[in-house]
Amino acid sequence: MLNQTDLTRVDLNLLVLFEIVLEERHVGQAAGRLNLSPSAISHGLGRLRRLLNDPLFLRTPKGVVPTDRALDLAEPVADILARARSVIATAEPFDPATSTRRFTIGAPDGVSAVFLSPLLAELRRLGPSINISVRQILPPRAVRTTDGVWEPVLADIEARAVDIAVVPADEVPARFTARTLYEEDFVIAMRAGHPFGKDPTLDAFCRMQHLVVSLTGDAYGFVDDILGEHGYSRRVALTVPNFMFALAIIAETDLIAALPKTFVAMYAPRFGVVGAEAPLPLIHSRIRAITSKAALMDNGVAWLFNLLGKAVKPADVFG
């Protein structure tokens, strides 16, 4: 939006003014929010118009309306201010008891559904005004091993698109820190009374219609890798984008799915879904909280990372 020469003469407050006027669509109301006079707002808008070479806001009897150029600038200006606020927040002393920061945690919903309840309980006690955004993440293709699968998530951590990721990753590069929260296996989830529950053999498993959780709609999963090694295959009749939706569908159909054992134990009963051991060995993984060592220099991220490790205890997960 601005070149290097422009930045030497830009007052960041002008972008704040732009944001508030865009929200209020009224100079007087924007002035009230910023504790400035309407003339000061008008003067600031004049500087912005010269800087950006556009009227930005047009006067009407009821206030102002943004030009197309102003609407185009809304998102990049909001992004600039969000990043600036984040930088300033990391420089301030972090007190969880009074902080109103928002942190973003990336995880598959089959994982976030496990750790969120104990984490939120701790936040109510220690950081009652802290806000959490959970971002659903799944690998682009389900595979048997976790090697390299979560590399895009590591990139998101470094870009600060997420503060912490909680995923089944065995190894991470040295520039990251990882902490195991719990260990996970997979079971075969099905509705109560499903025929497979009475005949849980490998042949019967392959005859069933399967559901795969896939963010992209890719129907090939890690189970297919394992089946192929034994000379078997299956029919994937449906893919859905998250684990909770999978439980709802399984409850109402004859579809079966390989789902995380801990997740199934915690949530399947309310759907009338049961879990059974798989007729062949599936993957075992460590669910780990991951962040970058650079991010841990932010006292807020470091506090949340440690809190995650303390909040998710075996008794909470398996009890």
Side-chain angles (χ1 to χ4, degrees), residues 137-153 168 212-229 234 239 243 283:
I137 53 174
L138 286 171
R141 175 181 176 274
V143 293
R144 185 173 182 181
T145 68
T146 57
D147 295 341
V149 172
W150 300 102
E151 285 181 3
V153 179
V212 166
V213 175
S214 168
L215 196 60
T216 63
D218 183 356
Y220 191 95
F222 72 87
V223 173
D224 299 287
D225 283 334
I226 299 171
L227 287 173
E229 291 179 358
R234 63 174 179 167
T239 72
F243 290 96
I283 58 175

Side-chain angles (χ1 to χ4, degrees), residues 234-258:
R234 63 174 179 167
R235 175 193 170 192
V236 175
L238 178 68
T239 72
V240 296
N242 60 69
F243 290 96
M244 200 66 76
F245 189 22
L247 283 181
I249 295 295
I250 290 168
E252 301 294 332
T253 67
D254 281 335
L255 295 170
I256 64 174

Side-chain angles (χ1 to χ4, degrees), residues 2-12 14 47-53:
L2 300 171
N3 61 38
Q4 189 171 4
T5 302
D6 290 327
L7 288 177
T8 64
R9 59 190 178 88
V10 173
D11 180 355
L12 184 62
L14 291 178
R47 292 174 62 192
L48 266 176
R49 286 166 178 144
R50 292 190 294 273
L51 184 67
L52 299 174
N53 195 29

Side-chain angles (χ1 to χ4, degrees), residues 294-316:
L296 286 176
M297 297 176 68
D298 176 341
N299 290 334
V301 174
W303 178 85
L304 183 63
F305 186 78
N306 289 330
L307 186 66
L308 258 174
K310 295 175 182 177
V312 183
K313 304 179 182 70
D316 296 321

Side-chain angles (χ1 to χ4, degrees), residues 17-182:
L17 182 150
F18 173 89
E19 181 182 59
I20 299 302
V21 173
L22 186 65
E23 290 176 0
E24 296 293 340
R25 308 293 171 97
H26 194 281
V27 169
Q29 292 173 9
R33 282 184 59 180
L34 293 170
N35 294 317
L36 296 172
S37 66
S39 62
I41 297 294
S42 297
H43 178 70
L45 286 176
R47 292 174 62 192
L48 266 176
R49 286 166 178 144
R50 292 190 294 273
L51 184 67
L52 299 174
N53 195 29
D54 189 86
L56 297 178
F57 298 97
L58 305 177
R59 292 185 179 277
T60 73
K62 294 184 178 181
V64 295
V65 295
T67 64
D68 289 343
R69 172 68 169 153
L71 293 174
D72 289 341
L73 289 172
E75 184 173 343
V77 167
D79 182 60
I80 290 169
L81 292 176
R83 290 175 181 270
R85 288 165 179 147
S86 176
V87 169
I88 293 169
T90 63
E92 296 175 345
F94 180 76
D95 180 1
T98 59
S99 176
T100 58
R101 283 184 63 180
R102 178 176 295 278
F103 297 96
T104 300
I105 301 175
D109 70 301
V111 172
S112 59
V114 172
F115 72 73
L116 265 181
S117 181
L119 176 63
L120 292 177
E122 287 297 286
L123 285 176
R124 283 194 297 271
R125 186 172 66 88
L126 300 174
S129 297
I130 289 174
N131 305 296
I132 300 293
S133 293
V134 176
R135 177 178 166 185
Q136 164 79 338
I137 53 174
L138 286 171
R141 175 181 176 274
V143 293
R144 185 173 182 181
T145 68
T146 57
D147 295 341
V149 172
W150 300 102
E151 285 181 3
V153 179
L154 300 182
D156 285 343
I157 294 172
E158 291 191 301
R160 296 303 295 271
V162 298
D163 295 297
I164 299 169
V166 184
V167 295
D170 292 326
E171 302 294 336
V172 297
R175 64 187 185 277
F176 293 90
T177 296
R179 182 170 185 171
T180 299
L181 301 185
Y182 63 97

Side-chain angles (χ1 to χ4, degrees), residues 188 190 194-202 204-205 208 256 276-279:
I188 308 306
M190 70 200 89
H194 193 287
F196 180 70
K198 301 174 184 177
D199 181 26
T201 63
L202 182 54
F205 179 77
M208 298 298 159
I256 64 174
E277 293 297 321

